[in-house]
């Protein structure tokens, strides 16, 4: 390691002269507060202020930089942003700086390495964050999000879908052949959201502004996918939503964050929200609201919900009553899964969905013709309870009749979209029976792909729009009923064309 | 009715102790002003502060909560936001609260009911709003928007389009059969924007936080579609644009509001605006502008138009001259209807377009091959006058030569897109003549659907982009000339494929 | 010319009484500063305050209105926004007003005309702006952007693509015939972004608020396309990005500006950015940042990049070190051109790409099967150097390992997308060989159009997303691998259908 060895002590002395306690609370970055930094973090900052100033400035704008955890512990229950009851001594008295997070649990971190005299982990994981935020970590570990890699690639059906789409195609003698997808392409398509598997392959040398340094050689890195498999064996990435070094609750509450993954054509939550009444008011007025506050007071801090309002946040009434508790188990206020696989269904009991077996013997929550794998799905009582928690949120701004009207409409839409999916399934079965396409891979031929669009794109879009009472134009034309219907007609004609081809060829 | 009867007096006493005159003007919600509330509204608030705090807080941020109508009457003509010359005594002296709006004209309201000792209407309608805003209501009633439900469902051609798209499809013996669309699906597709028909079917009991209460049982509720048919017999919903209980002029002037309905692929006003120079500057700078001001001063209050600037708002020059008057008849500055049905045409004379008969005997403004139903459309003089009112708006920031150049380009585009529609119509006629598809329903088979895309999606998109001189990339590729051309080529090939199918089958 | 001749002196006297030195710096428009205006500009404002108040107000909010160029010259090198070393005397002492820009170099301006006693140019061009901003003009003239009209229409292949898409189609005897595209349609599609050719055809009389006046009769005007061919012989329009009369650096730095041209489906930079982590944080937080500052300090003035950060702006570290210099040659930090023509390739050496000849003899940087026209493209050393300048930007917030991981993923994606394009090319060649479609125009038949989608829409989209590590859902489904694969399958089936048609017809 040909590191310029003089650099660390030099940077540190420059730093200590110029950079004392310049940490500040979220948003008002320029306010200087007297929050002590640990000696280790001071050493980190000494160099990184020069070498990665953006990271340092980002952290300086964070709440982590602006308070001491032991003070945070003293806040009232509703105001608390940490859930630990007590903290390790060494974490109690300094701001939460570089070293406080990047040095935790080194014995479990295969990405741990010796860096400028310190033992540092490259990747900070939910297991590290849970030192101060154990409740959030526990909830998250129970959710589908934390199992997002395995739920996708460990399921033979989804794995086939993924491979069929993302494998490079070659044309040889008029035939289309498919390679296996590369890790690289998986990384920036499906696993961009779901998360990659990060492993340490030892050390490697990189050339930096400080000379050559030795760092862990990690596979599939960088990645902040929500279900990332970490080198300490834990699952998930808090930074998927609490982006980068400001760890902002405000950013996580804004719909821009969720929009990075929940998008048309398959999961158009963002698109539907943007066109909904809720979204329209949000984008018109949110600059005047307080998206940072804990507790988050309905009507006072915001006047229309963002994604987090309905799905995650602790909500409190203007008179201080808790409406719903905070949750990082993202399905816990959801009774039905409108992301059809291939039909809508009650939410699965476990965040690990690879354990499901339907009547066709596949790890899918519904069978090919729509029968539920009920054993693995929550029952009516649980559904009722979760629906009621959601209704409490609605009820802060809407009357009971309004809410009931909304949800009975939604229920009907779920049924109709499932029927439309079934119609497409029947057409595809007939194409398979006539050997027009080959059922061994249900995603690799045109009629099959039209079938997949029907449930993956159009049914889902209509259900998301119905759920948010938003985007009627989206539901009517853009990715909704227009295509639902047109695509079905195309399936029918395409089957005819291929059947005729078959007949002419065999004549 | 098993209402917890003690609740109202109790809530009221709690309320009267804690909640005096906490009303405030738009935006600066925390400023407390001494605006008296009626005793009835105080009673409403006593409970609703607890049961629907979001509604109360939203209203508190409104201008309605922050002023007394009799004071509003004294404002200068340009500053006035109400158009009534005088007001009923009981409305003059209190802020415009819950009771002031929800108690009007109960004799006409079939949704009127007895609620905690008061007679309350669930739905507030334009006929109620016109108590203070008669000019706006009158203009609105003359517009196509107020007839939006009938204009859609009362027209046999559009009705066929709607039913064909939104009816659930079933596959039986390889055939696709269509159900009639459900009220529920209409409600969240076409009628989401156009509005539903709301009728009262008597009373029903619902369980609320206050126990069981009896409320009107309304069909198709909730809905804020702009042409909603109300239980007092009136048409429309002011809340379609002046959303919820803040009734904000700012929200209505922001393009997010219009974007809820005017969207790709059929009416891509939002999409085109977002990509236009006007839109680019708006989204970059509007946080520094005043979107609340009345009168709205060009250059001072805003520097680039939003939808409302060109189509609706009263605009005043920095020296106080009126440029254009406010209007709630949304077509009144429009000379040509670029939403083709099926070709572009002069704006219809009446907001009720079901009265139109074209030369084919249908309620369409143009015939199948493009002849105008001129008797029902405005003439050249009216067109000229409306174009001139629009040019006055442009002229505040653009020179005469600039404006003339723009509109002559626009005119040419209208002609070309109509020619492109005609090309598709000719292909479809040939398909019908050869009995490749069946003309009885012009929307239910693939070639017909390609034809509909041509005028409903691509012609419209190109015209909207031309009108706003925006979105050249949109017009070239995304929903514009690329698809215009590709789709026409597909029609031709598809006709060939089906003709061959026909021949092979009949051999 | 029946001009109301009394108007100018009258307006001027009104103006001089009411409007003294009301110029103000960017953003804080209401602050009045004592910046003197030239007598000529005062005369312009006297009328235009009444006739085009929006332009005047927009200019008043600009830095041009708020400072004297001779003062600007005294700023430190990093703070300077002008690059001239000295200025003509007459420009040094007044604010940069109407006359200062619209009167420059009249001898070269064919759009020069006599207006109210002054010689005025309608169009202000980069050759005019370079009086104060010579470095920027020089850089811009070296870029592809300044040659955007010729690069498109002067290239036979692209010209065929443009004409095929935008010519009006007619159907006669079942055949589709295409007209040549109109100037008008070119103007609002391809040339909306690329720029039009503006020529003066003499004078014409227009009727304005001031009566009839005589003005130059310009072709293809208005237009702010970035490569506009101006009536003084120069190329380009600074107003393409520094929109209208505020000439704002803030507006140019915001992604809304770039979004007007860099859009899906062919160049989805905006769409990908919006869905990326960078974009998500930008839209969540930019209201708190300083997008106006020069120099632009990483971490302090902004915490996540906009388009300008990576591609154009002078960036400085919090300690005042220059990270990268400002550039208006928009490709100068780019090593590879991911906009495939038809495959990705090293950036061309010259901004004028019509000089390129590939091995097929065409002006394309790659041959039909992917061989590079290397002679016209930058070499490995230049590529390395440019990549390193980009890495410096990344390095302000990301570690070296992170950056290397990102770019090696990107490189792999470029290779895979080129392979996918080749697969489509092979299918199309087979269709041509079997005379299923006719190769004379490679863009006018369905299989050919599917081929064009493959490289123009899907390959490009995936590469843009990979470049920004953004939008995994976009890359997986929306315009990415899903369509990449589906479209290839459609090509194959469509070839079969047409082959069968051919066989049946010739039987």
């Amino acid at each position: 390691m040909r590191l310029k060895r003089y650099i660390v002590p030099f940077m540190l002395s420059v730093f200590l002269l110029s950079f004392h306690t310049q940490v500040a609370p979220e948003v008002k970055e320029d306010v200087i507060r007297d929050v002590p930094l640990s000696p280790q973090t001071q050493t980190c900052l000494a160099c990184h202020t020069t070498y990665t100033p953006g990271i340092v400035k980002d952290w300086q704008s964070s709440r982590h930089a602006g308070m001491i955890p032991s003070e945070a512990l003293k806040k009232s229950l509703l105001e608390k942003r940490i859930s630990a009851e007590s903290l390790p001594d060494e974490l109690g008295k300094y701001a939460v700086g570089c070293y406080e997070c990047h040095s935790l649990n080194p014995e479990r971190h295969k990405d741990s390495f010796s860096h400028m005299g310190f033992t540092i982990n490259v990747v900070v994981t939910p297991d590290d964050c849970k030192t101060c935020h154990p409740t959030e970590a526990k909830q998250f570990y129970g959710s589908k999000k934390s199992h997002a890699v395995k739920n996708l690639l460990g399921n033979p059906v989804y794995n086939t879908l993924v491979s069929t789409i993302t494998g490079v195609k070659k044309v040889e003698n008029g035939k289309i052949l498919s390679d296996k997808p590369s890790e690289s392409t998986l990384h920036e398509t499906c696993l961009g959201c779901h998360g990659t598997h990060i492993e340490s392959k030892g050390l490697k040398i990189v050339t930096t502004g400080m000379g050559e340094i030795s760092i862990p050689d990690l596979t599939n890195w960088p990645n902040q996918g929500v279900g990332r498999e970490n080198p300490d064996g834990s699952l998930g990435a808090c930074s998927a939503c609490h982006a980068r070094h400001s760890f902002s609750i405000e950013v996580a509450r804004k719909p821009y964050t969720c929009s990075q993954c929940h998008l048309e054509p398959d999961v158009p939550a963002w698109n539907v929200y943007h066109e909904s009444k809720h979204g329209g008011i949000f984008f018109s007025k949110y600059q005047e609201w307080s998206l940072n506050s804990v507790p988050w007071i309905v009507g006072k801090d915001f006047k229309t919900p963002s994604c987090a309002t309905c799905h995650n946040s602790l909500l409190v009434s203007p008179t201080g009553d808790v409406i719903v508790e905070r949750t990082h188990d993202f399905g816990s206020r959801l009774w039905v899964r409108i992301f059809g696989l291939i039909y809508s269904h009650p939410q699965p009991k476990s965040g690990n969905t690879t354990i499901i077996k339907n009547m066709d013997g596949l790890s899918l929550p519904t069978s090919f013709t729509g029968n539920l794998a009920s054993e693995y799905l929550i029952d009516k009582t649980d559904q009722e309870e979760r629906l009621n928690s959601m209704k409490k949120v609605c009820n802060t701004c809407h009357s009971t009749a309004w809410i009931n009207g909304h949800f009975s409409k939604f229920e009907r839409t779920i049924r109709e979209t499932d029927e439309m999916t079934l119609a497409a399934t029947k057409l595809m079965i007939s194409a398979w029976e006539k050997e027009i396409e080959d059922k061994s891979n249900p995603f690799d031929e045109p009629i099959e792909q039209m079938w997949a669009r029907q449930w993956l794109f159009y049914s889902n879009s209509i259900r998301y729009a119905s759920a948010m009472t938003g985007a009627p134009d989206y539901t009517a034309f853009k990715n909704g009923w227009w295509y639902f219907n047109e695509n079905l007609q195309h399936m029918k004609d395409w089957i005819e064309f291929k059947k005729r081809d078959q007949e002419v060829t065999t004549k």
Side-chain angles (χ1 to χ4, degrees), chain A:
Chain A
M1 190 171 86
R2 279 173 295 161
L3 173 67
K4 295 166 191 162
R5 290 193 174 274
Y6 59 86
I7 278 181
V8 173
F10 172 73
M11 298 303 294
L12 184 55
S13 61
V14 168
F15 173 82
L16 289 175
L17 287 168
S18 67
F19 186 88
H20 53 99
T21 67
Q22 65 284 58
V23 289
E26 207 169 351
V27 179
K28 292 197 184 160
E29 182 191 338
D30 294 321
V31 179
I32 304 300
R33 280 175 48 190
D34 284 325
V35 177
L37 306 180
S38 70
Q40 298 93 328
T41 288
Q42 289 187 39
T43 311
C44 302
L45 291 171
C47 292
H48 278 280
T49 296
T50 298
Y51 291 112
T52 54
I55 298 179
V56 173
K57 283 282 179 188
D58 196 27
W59 168 76
Q60 283 179 317
S61 75
S62 76
R63 190 167 292 269
H64 277 172
M67 57 89 241
I68 305 175
S70 56
E71 294 295 315
L73 274 180
K74 297 176 192 158
K75 295 229 173 191
S76 75
L77 201 63
L78 287 182
E79 287 176 302
K80 255 191 197 169
R81 293 165 191 247
I82 59 175
S83 52
E85 291 187 9
S86 64
L87 297 170
D89 270 2
E90 67 277 16
L91 289 179
K93 48 194 179 167
Y94 299 118
V96 183
C98 323
Y99 187 76
E100 283 64 36
C101 298
H102 281 275
S103 70
L104 290 167
N105 315 308
E107 68 289 355
R108 297 207 295 267
H109 270 275
K110 302 231 167 92
D111 57 322
S112 189
F113 73 120
S114 169
H115 181 60
M116 309 295 162
F118 298 104
T119 300
I120 296 295
N121 312 318
V122 176
V123 185
V124 178
T125 75
D127 262 7
D128 301 324
C129 301
K130 89 173 176 197
T131 310
C132 297
H133 306 282
T135 306
E136 289 68 31
K138 193 180 164 202
Q139 291 168 340
F140 176 76
Y141 287 145
S143 75
K144 291 189 292 292
K145 282 201 174 13
S146 67
H147 296 83
V149 176
K150 185 174 57 186
N151 283 351
L152 188 70
L153 298 186
N155 182 316
V157 180
Y158 310 157
N159 201 325
T160 302
L161 174 61
V162 167
S163 302
T164 306
I165 298 173
T166 58
V168 170
K169 308 298 175 299
K170 286 179 176 138
V171 168
E172 279 173 29
N173 305 319
K175 289 217 169 116
I176 300 174
L177 308 174
S178 182
D179 284 348
K180 269 188 57 170
S182 64
E183 288 216 321
S184 162
T185 282
L186 287 176
H187 188 156
E188 64 188 25
T189 55
C190 309
L191 303 188
C193 289
H194 283 252
T196 53
H197 181 71
I198 299 175
E199 234 171 319
S200 179
K201 300 182 294 182
L203 291 173
K204 66 176 174 187
I205 288 172
V206 292
T207 307
T208 73
M210 295 186 70
E212 292 191 340
I213 62 173
S214 188
I215 59 167
D217 188 8
L218 303 177
T219 60
N220 292 306
W221 178 253
N223 179 279
Q224 282 81 42
V226 78
R228 195 178 64 192
E229 295 175 351
N230 298 308
D232 67 347
S234 71
L235 298 173
C238 303
S239 54
C241 307
H242 297 278
R244 313 302 301 126
H245 291 88
S246 66
F247 319 100
S248 165
I249 201 171
E250 174 197 338
V251 168
R253 281 172 173 172
K254 283 187 174 164
Y256 300 107
T257 294
C258 311
S259 90
Q260 286 159 41
C261 293
H262 297 261
L263 279 170
E264 67 179 22
D266 56 326
V267 202
W270 159 265
N271 310 79
V272 160
Y273 178 75
H274 195 283
E275 301 182 5
S276 74
K277 192 57 91 186
H278 284 162
I281 302 173
F282 181 87
F283 293 111
S284 289
K285 299 291 286 182
Y286 78 87
Q287 289 93 343
E288 298 165 18
W289 300 343
S290 171
L291 296 178
N292 247 326
S293 303
V294 173
W296 212 18
I297 302 175
V298 177
K300 179 175 168 294
D301 291 329
F302 63 92
K303 291 192 172 55
T304 207
S306 72
C307 316
T309 312
C310 299
H311 295 282
N312 303 103
S313 296
L314 163 68
L315 301 182
V316 166
S317 78
T319 48
D321 297 315
V322 172
I323 294 155
V324 280
E325 295 285 353
R326 181 183 297 121
T327 175
H328 280 70
D329 177 356
F330 299 86
S332 67
R333 295 183 199 158
L334 298 176
W335 56 107
V336 63
R337 190 145 163 237
I338 59 177
F339 184 79
L341 293 164
I342 63 175
Y343 304 89
S344 69
H345 53 277
Q347 285 285 332
K349 286 180 186 166
S350 165
N352 176 358
T353 61
T354 60
I355 61 172
I356 298 175
K357 285 275 167 291
N358 70 10
M359 57 178 266
D360 303 332
L362 298 170
S363 288
L364 293 172
T366 71
S367 76
F368 195 54
T369 49
N371 290 295
L372 299 175
S374 299
E375 187 184 343
Y376 303 93
L377 310 176
I378 63 171
D379 63 17
K380 291 261 176 231
T381 315
D382 280 352
Q383 283 196 294
E384 198 68 27
E385 196 178 309
R386 295 192 189 187
L387 172 55
N388 282 337
S389 74
M390 183 62 86
K391 283 182 171 178
K392 277 186 204 156
V393 180
C394 308
N395 212 189
T396 59
C397 292
H398 297 290
S399 72
T400 305
W402 181 290
I403 297 164
N404 291 347
H406 168 70
F407 284 114
S408 84
K409 178 165 65 60
F410 180 41
E411 210 181 302
R412 167 93 193 208
T413 296
I414 291 172
R415 213 164 61 233
E416 291 190 6
T417 48
D418 282 338
E419 285 177 38
M420 287 290 283
T421 298
L422 184 61
T425 305
K426 284 185 176 177
L427 280 184
M428 193 172 72
I429 290 175
S430 81
W432 283 344
E433 284 172 355
K434 291 169 190 150
E435 295 183 9
I436 288 166
E437 291 193 352
D438 166 27
K439 71 185 284 185
S440 63
N441 176 341
F443 302 113
D444 68 344
E445 292 173 278
I447 293 162
E448 292 165 339
Q449 286 158 358
M450 292 179 203
W451 167 75
R453 279 176 177 237
Q454 207 75 352
W455 54 270
L456 191 55
F457 295 178
Y458 312 131
S459 285
N460 282 354
S461 293
I462 291 165
R463 289 196 284 250
Y464 274 89
S466 181
M468 295 191 226
T469 266
D473 203 5
Y474 195 92
T475 320
F477 288 114
K478 178 99 184 277
N479 280 2
W481 284 90
W482 172 274
Y483 285 99
F484 223 172
N485 182 50
E486 189 190 68
N487 188 47
L488 203 67
Q489 302 292 340
H490 277 208
M491 279 184 84
K492 183 171 158 284
D493 272 15
W494 207 282
I495 290 173
E496 292 298 320
F497 299 158
K498 292 189 93 161
K499 197 168 71 183
R500 211 65 66 204
D501 262 21
Q502 215 180 31
E503 290 167 9
V504 173
T505 311
T506 54
K507 256 182 203 170

